[in-house]
């Protein structure tokens, strides 16, 4: 090797080292910047979830740092690697920039976990209540993003690093991230859209879809899993869930993306469920509106979407033939959860009759019209307002105030039970 | 990524994160090819794996990760996805049988794809 070449190698090595030291310092800076000091809200579970998630991310960044170090060593270790770098410097620059972008994203996400609490409070309460009912208490956070999703924290934050080099072993975690997109999360009907994502967590932790496939020999992909989550959400939240989905779809183009069934088929399934379960009685005008909207969606769909819809319909029919409704009902029963129809007949009736402060759906509507928050279960509150046609008119701040009041009442009652 | 005031968010995190993940996958593939060229097969294996794992993935699925999630993939992302899957198939074979010429061509192709991904809009 001539001295000129040695000099050249030295320059390249220095440049590679410089780029990796940028990577190192970016990750180290991120780690220290995530600490925000003491964080308290009036809702302990929210403060604890956020703190838990952030400290987990901080610890997991150590793994990313050591992975970057190994990668850096490979790049500077041999003349051939340096030769490759000289020809294609974009590789190292891209890696460095990717780490920078990742750090900015994580910093913004964490910062918003703290600042968004006021806006997401009702959604936090709804998700927490739903998960807890099914016996799951994973730490979870709500994040605004470019899509709706529910993922394990580790996948959400770090899965991009799984695609470079050998796999990293992370400390096990059950923490979950729900992402939402294009909605005002504090709006009343948006709560049910976020509620849908909580059933993804239940499906994932409880293995519901996989269990259904095993038990019945059904073989379906992501789109069928989504259909199962719609069934679970309707059985739990009742007819207001179908209304929320319809209103949500009305605001969008008739494109369902690649992991969901086409919108018209999803709504058709919800319509079918409501009529089969007999939970939409007394709201014929809404049933008509839903049917007309499904027809309108079909008119707007292009050839590909219609073809997809035909395939989705076949899959959905197969799921129904295999007894998806009965399977979900049994899953609810096994966890001691009432489906919406039983909830109205038994739980709601019992609570209305036994409450010290006599209350019923008519009184709930009266209270909200008078701007008095009602401390009742979210499912009761939302369906009462949906049934009377008030749900679009009531200020969402009043709904949040009602959720808060109910949450406090419920935990007060729980504390009495413990005594 | 935007952040304005208190309450608004890490816009586009997921789509941006998917794109970063696919860029990392390509960088991993390039690193594997360089290590194979040096006959460092054992080290190369760890870097080849994340790239090779897409070899049986449907093109649509890979393309979706390169696009913006909800909106269907366009022709450019589909082309990149097709090339990625085809190179993953090539890299999934026995590294001993890879010819120097194939390694050179595949590396160049991956660098080109990385360039294309760098230009994909994130909005």
């Amino acid at each position: 090797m001539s001295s000129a070449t040695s000099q050249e190698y030295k320059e390249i090595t220095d440049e590679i080292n410089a780029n990796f030291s940028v990577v190192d310092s970016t990750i180290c800076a991120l780690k220290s910047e995530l600490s925000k000091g003491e964080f308290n809200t009036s809702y302990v579970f929210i403060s604890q979830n956020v703190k838990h998630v952030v400290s987990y991310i901080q610890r997991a960044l150590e793994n990313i740092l050591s992975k970057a170090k190994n990668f850096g060593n490979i790049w500077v270790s041999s003349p051939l690697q340096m030769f490759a770098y000289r020809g294609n410097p974009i590789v190292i620059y891209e890696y460095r920039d990717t780490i920078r972008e990742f750090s900015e994203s994580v910093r913004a996400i964490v910062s918003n976990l703290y600042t968004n609490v006021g806006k997401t409070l009702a959604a936090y309460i709804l998700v927490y209540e739903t998960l807890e009912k099914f016996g799951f208490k994973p730490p979870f956070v709500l994040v605004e993003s470019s899509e709706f999703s529910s993922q394990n924290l580790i996948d959400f934050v770090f899965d991009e690093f799984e695609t470079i080099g050998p796999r990293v072993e992370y400390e096990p975690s059950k923490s979950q991230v729900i992402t939402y997109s294009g909605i005002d999360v504090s709006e009343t009907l948006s709560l049910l859209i976020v509620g849908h994502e909580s059933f993804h967590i239940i499906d994932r932790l409880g293995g519901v879809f996989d269990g259904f496939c095993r038990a019945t020999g059904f073989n379906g992909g992501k789109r069928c899993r989504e259909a199962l989550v719609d069934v679970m959400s309707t059985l739990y939240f009742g007819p207001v869930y179908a209304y929320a989905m319809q209103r949500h779809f009305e605001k969008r183009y008739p494109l369902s993306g690649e992991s969901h069934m086409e919108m018209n088929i999803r709504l058709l399934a919800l319509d079918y469920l409501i009529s089969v379960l007999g939970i939409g009685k007394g709201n014929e005008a809404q049933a008509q509106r839903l049917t007309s909207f499904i027809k309108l969606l079909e008119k707007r769909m292009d050839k590909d979407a219609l073809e997809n819809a035909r395939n989705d319909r076949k899959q959905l029919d197969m799921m129904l033939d295999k007894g998806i409704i009965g399977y979900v009902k049994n899953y609810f029963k096994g966890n001691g959860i009432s489906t919406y129809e039983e909830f109205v007949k038994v739980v709601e009736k019992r609570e209305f009759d036994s409450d010290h402060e006599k209350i019923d759906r008519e009184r709930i509507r009266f209270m909200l019209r008078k701007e008095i928050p009602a401390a009742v279960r979210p499912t009761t509150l939302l369906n009462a307002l949906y049934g009377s046609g008030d749900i679009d008119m009531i200020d969402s701040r009043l709904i949040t105030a009602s959720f808060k009041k109910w949450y406090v009442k419920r935990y007060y009652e729980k504390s009495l039970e413990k005594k | 990524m935007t952040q304005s005031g208190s309450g608004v968010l890490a816009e586009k995190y997921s789509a941006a994160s998917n794109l970063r993940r696919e860029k990392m996958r390509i960088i991993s593939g390039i690193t594997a090819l360089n290590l194979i060229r040096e006959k460092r097969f054992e080290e190369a294996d760890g870097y080849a794996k994340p790239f090779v794992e897409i070899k049986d993935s449907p093109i649509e699925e890979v393309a979706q990760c390169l696009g913006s999630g909800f909106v269907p993939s366009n022709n450019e992302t589909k082309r990149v996805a097709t090339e990625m899957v085809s190179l993953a198939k090539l890299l999934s074979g026995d590294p001993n049988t890879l010819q120097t010429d194939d390694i050179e061509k595949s590396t160049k192709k991956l660098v080109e794809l990385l360039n294309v991904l760098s230009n994909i809009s994130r909005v």
Side-chain angles (χ1 to χ4, degrees):
Chain A
M1 198 182 289
S2 71
S3 60
T5 314
S6 299
Q7 180 59 28
E8 205 179 328
Y9 281 149
K10 189 181 174 309
E11 280 170 18
I12 297 168
T13 310
D14 287 347
E15 196 174 346
I16 295 176
N17 279 329
N19 278 310
F20 277 98
S21 75
V22 170
V23 167
D24 277 11
S25 59
T26 306
I27 299 172
C28 288
L30 173 65
K31 218 176 139 214
S32 60
E33 283 171 35
L34 295 186
S35 299
K36 303 277 179 193
E38 196 52 35
F39 174 62
N40 286 310
T41 68
S42 305
Y43 302 87
V44 177
F45 82 91
I46 299 180
S47 330
Q48 281 181 346
N49 282 0
V50 171
K51 280 197 278 194
H52 179 95
V53 162
V54 174
S55 74
Y56 184 86
I57 294 173
Q58 281 180 306
R59 292 196 301 281
L61 279 170
E62 273 304 322
N63 289 324
I64 301 306
L65 194 59
S66 64
K67 191 164 198 170
K69 284 202 166 99
N70 290 338
F71 184 50
N73 286 338
I74 280 178
W75 277 98
V76 295
S77 65
S78 80
L80 268 175
Q81 291 283 16
M82 285 189 280
F83 176 75
Y85 171 68
R86 190 172 47 180
N88 305 307
I90 183 181
V91 181
I92 301 292
Y93 295 141
E94 270 296 336
Y95 179 70
R96 182 199 62 191
D97 294 346
T98 302
I99 296 282
R100 281 175 162 169
E101 285 172 19
F102 161 79
S103 299
E104 275 175 36
S105 305
V106 173
R107 200 173 290 122
I109 285 166
V110 168
S111 163
N112 280 282
L113 290 181
Y114 295 96
T115 54
N116 270 354
V117 166
K119 226 178 149 191
T120 48
L121 184 57
Y124 265 110
I125 292 176
L126 185 73
V127 174
Y128 182 76
E129 190 264 351
T130 309
L131 294 177
E132 195 193 32
K133 274 271 170 55
F134 284 83
F136 299 112
K137 287 184 97 172
F140 71 91
V141 286
L142 301 172
V143 174
E144 188 170 358
S145 179
S146 62
E147 61 186 14
F148 285 94
S149 74
S150 145
Q151 302 169 55
N152 291 314
L153 170 69
I154 205 73
D155 296 335
F156 177 72
V157 183
F158 295 112
D159 83 337
E160 52 206 83
F161 293 96
E162 291 294 298
T163 53
I164 184 157
R167 272 187 200 286
V168 166
E169 287 298 321
Y170 293 102
E171 170 194 338
S173 167
K174 285 195 171 166
S175 303
Q176 305 290 318
V177 177
I178 288 179
T179 69
Y180 56 89
S181 162
I183 55 169
D184 183 344
V185 71
S186 60
E187 267 183 13
T188 308
L189 292 175
S190 299
L191 296 172
L192 291 147
I193 309 297
V194 175
H196 167 99
E197 298 304 331
S198 59
F199 276 99
H200 274 293
I201 298 180
I202 293 165
D203 168 40
R204 197 162 47 249
L205 299 181
V208 188
F209 184 69
D210 296 342
F212 170 69
C213 291
R214 268 197 310 276
T216 62
F218 180 74
N219 185 15
K222 282 183 195 168
R223 292 165 92 99
C224 296
R225 189 181 287 275
E226 286 291 340
L228 167 104
V229 169
D230 275 340
V231 172
M232 292 177 86
S233 305
T234 311
L235 257 60
Y236 186 75
F237 293 123
V240 70
Y241 172 73
Y243 181 64
M245 292 304 278
Q246 180 192 336
R247 299 285 285 150
H248 180 57
F249 290 165
E250 280 172 354
K251 295 172 193 162
R252 306 176 78 149
Y253 290 107
L255 293 171
S256 290
E258 281 146 10
S259 53
H260 292 80
M261 288 194 173
E262 294 300 322
M263 286 179 183
N264 64 326
I265 301 300
R266 286 184 76 183
L267 291 179
L268 206 60
L270 299 182
D271 191 25
Y272 174 76
L273 266 174
I274 287 170
S275 69
V276 164
L277 301 173
I279 55 178
K281 283 177 193 153
N283 212 337
E284 279 71 25
Q286 169 50 23
Q288 280 279 322
R289 189 176 161 179
L290 181 58
T291 312
S292 315
F293 181 59
I294 293 171
K295 283 187 184 147
L296 179 68
L297 275 175
E298 281 163 4
K299 273 190 201 158
R300 286 177 182 171
M301 288 159 74
D302 63 14
K303 209 174 120 207
D304 289 346
L306 285 169
E307 181 58 29
N308 286 339
R310 266 191 291 277
N311 292 333
D312 290 340
R313 180 68 194 261
K314 277 186 205 158
Q315 293 275 299
L316 183 66
D317 285 346
M318 214 184 293
M319 287 175 84
L320 291 169
D321 288 346
K322 297 264 185 192
I324 186 69
I325 300 176
Y327 186 86
V328 172
K329 277 186 171 180
N330 277 337
Y331 179 76
F332 275 40
K333 204 174 169 187
N335 284 284
I337 315 284
S338 309
T339 57
Y340 180 74
E341 51 189 313
E342 296 159 353
F343 172 79
V344 173
K345 281 183 203 152
V346 184
V347 182
E348 198 172 276
K349 192 169 182 308
R350 187 182 63 222
E351 291 189 349
F352 283 171
D353 290 345
S354 70
D355 212 324
H356 301 302
E357 181 193 20
K358 282 285 175 202
I359 199 161
D360 58 25
R361 288 195 172 199
E362 191 47 50
R363 187 163 166 76
I364 293 168
R365 290 192 281 265
F366 174 79
M367 287 173 75
L368 270 85
R369 280 176 190 157
K370 294 280 176 196
E371 298 190 0
I372 304 166
V376 291
R377 289 177 191 268
T379 304
T380 299
L381 178 72
L382 298 174
N383 280 289
L385 295 176
Y386 162 71
S388 65
D390 287 321
I391 198 150
D392 292 310
M393 267 94 77
I394 298 288
D395 188 335
S396 58
R397 284 173 297 182
L398 201 52
I399 303 293
T400 301
S402 298
F403 275 30
K404 285 161 73 175
K405 199 170 168 183
W406 169 78
Y407 179 85
V408 172
K409 180 185 165 201
R410 179 167 163 260
Y411 278 87
Y412 172 68
E413 286 169 354
K414 272 196 164 184
S415 66
L416 289 184
E417 280 167 24
K418 277 181 192 165
K419 285 177 188 170
Chain B
M1 180 75 44
T2 60
Q3 193 182 356
S4 61
S6 64
V8 186
L9 173 276
E11 201 182 320
K12 308 282 173 203
Y13 180 75
S14 300
S17 138
N18 286 342
L19 190 58
R20 281 197 298 268
R21 188 182 61 212
E22 296 314 306
K23 282 202 243 174
M24 293 274 214
R25 195 189 300 286
I26 290 180
I27 293 172
S28 202
I30 295 169
T31 310
L33 284 165
N34 286 336
L35 292 166
I36 290 170
R37 185 171 42 200
E38 293 182 47
K39 311 277 180 216
R40 290 155 65 182
F41 297 121
E42 208 171 306
E43 276 172 278
D45 188 48
Y47 286 88
K49 257 186 197 155
F51 187 73
V52 167
E53 73 185 7
I54 58 164
K55 76 180 167 67
D56 297 319
S57 304
I59 302 290
E60 272 298 334
E61 208 169 280
V62 179
Q64 195 184 357
C65 295
L66 308 174
S68 59
F70 180 71
V71 179
S73 328
N74 62 24
N75 287 339
E76 185 66 346
T77 53
K78 277 186 187 156
R79 183 186 74 80
V80 175
T82 311
E83 301 259 23
M84 281 173 72
V85 170
S86 127
L87 287 165
K89 281 180 182 151
L90 178 78
L91 204 53
S92 67
D94 181 357
N96 274 304
T97 61
L98 276 179
Q99 302 296 313
T100 315
D101 196 34
D102 285 337
I103 295 174
E104 286 292 330
K105 277 188 194 157
S106 304
T107 308
K108 271 190 186 155
K109 185 48 95 182
L110 281 178
V111 172
E112 184 208 314
L113 297 182
L114 190 60
N115 265 315
V116 175
L117 289 193
S118 304
N119 295 327
I120 285 184
S121 162
R122 291 171 187 180
V123 177

